Amino acid sequence: GGGDDASGGGGASAIDAAAAGAKKALKIIKEAMKTDANKVCADCGARGPNYVCSTFNTFICTPCAGVHRKFGHRVKGVNMATFTLDEAKKLSEHGNAYANERYLAKRKPTAALPSPSDGYKHENFLRSKYIDKAWYKAKKSKADEAAAAAAAAKGG
């Protein structure tokens, strides 16, 4: 042990602040879930995803969450876990549209997404999408571009 500042000594105010932060984070996430892209699973299109994959900042359904966990990706249930404000902001700024613009960039937009009921085919699709990056194309976000412009202005 030793040097564990997180436990003890914080008192109620630290606990209250953490609870308030978690509450605010959940509010941000619930708000992000209202956008069209986030109303469906990022990976199979099922309506009403109730998990997030914080590895890719996407909203996903239960079967897809299982596959992501199998791959060792970080998965949290929206109504079962606590989120930090940082996690909530990343989900809000990125989300399904952001991820799919990158991870499915080179895939035919008309190609159907495999259903979780396709089992092996579905798992292979997710492996191709996220691990092999078969259709991946890097894209700068508005935030990335702003940061690059600011760095260039500073001469760095």
Side-chain angles (χ1 to χ4, degrees), residues 17-152:
K23 210 174 200 173
K24 189 176 179 186
L26 188 60
K27 193 178 175 189
I28 292 168
I29 289 167
K30 295 275 190 188
E31 209 46 48
M33 290 176 83
K34 291 178 184 175
T35 68
D36 288 343
N38 296 338
K39 280 182 185 173
V40 296
C41 175
D43 298 324
C44 73
R47 292 198 61 75
N50 51 357
Y51 284 86
V52 299
C53 179
S54 46
T55 307
F56 302 103
N57 297 305
T58 53
F59 294 90
I60 55 177
C61 68
T62 306
C64 289
V67 177
H68 278 283
R69 277 201 178 108
K70 191 174 176 179
F71 292 154
H73 301 152
R74 266 193 84 184
V75 172
K76 285 182 167 185
V78 172
N79 299 312
M80 296 170 271
T82 34
F83 293 87
T84 64
L85 280 172
D86 189 50
E87 286 173 317
K89 284 177 185 152
K90 280 184 179 148
L91 280 159
S92 177
E93 289 163 13
H94 295 138
N96 295 356
Y98 181 95
N100 285 339
E101 277 171 15
R102 285 150 185 78
Y103 286 93
L104 296 176
K106 297 176 183 174
R107 189 171 189 264
K108 277 191 198 131
T110 52
L113 296 173
S115 161
S117 62
D118 291 342
Y120 185 70
K121 197 178 187 181
H122 176 249
E123 190 176 312
N124 274 350
F125 169 74
L126 293 184
R127 182 179 286 111
S128 295
K129 181 177 177 180
Y130 293 107
I131 298 169
D132 303 336
K133 292 185 175 183
W135 309 288
Y136 186 83
K137 185 173 191 253
K139 248 186 178 174
K140 280 191 165 70
S141 69
K142 286 176 179 66
D144 296 336
E145 286 168 7

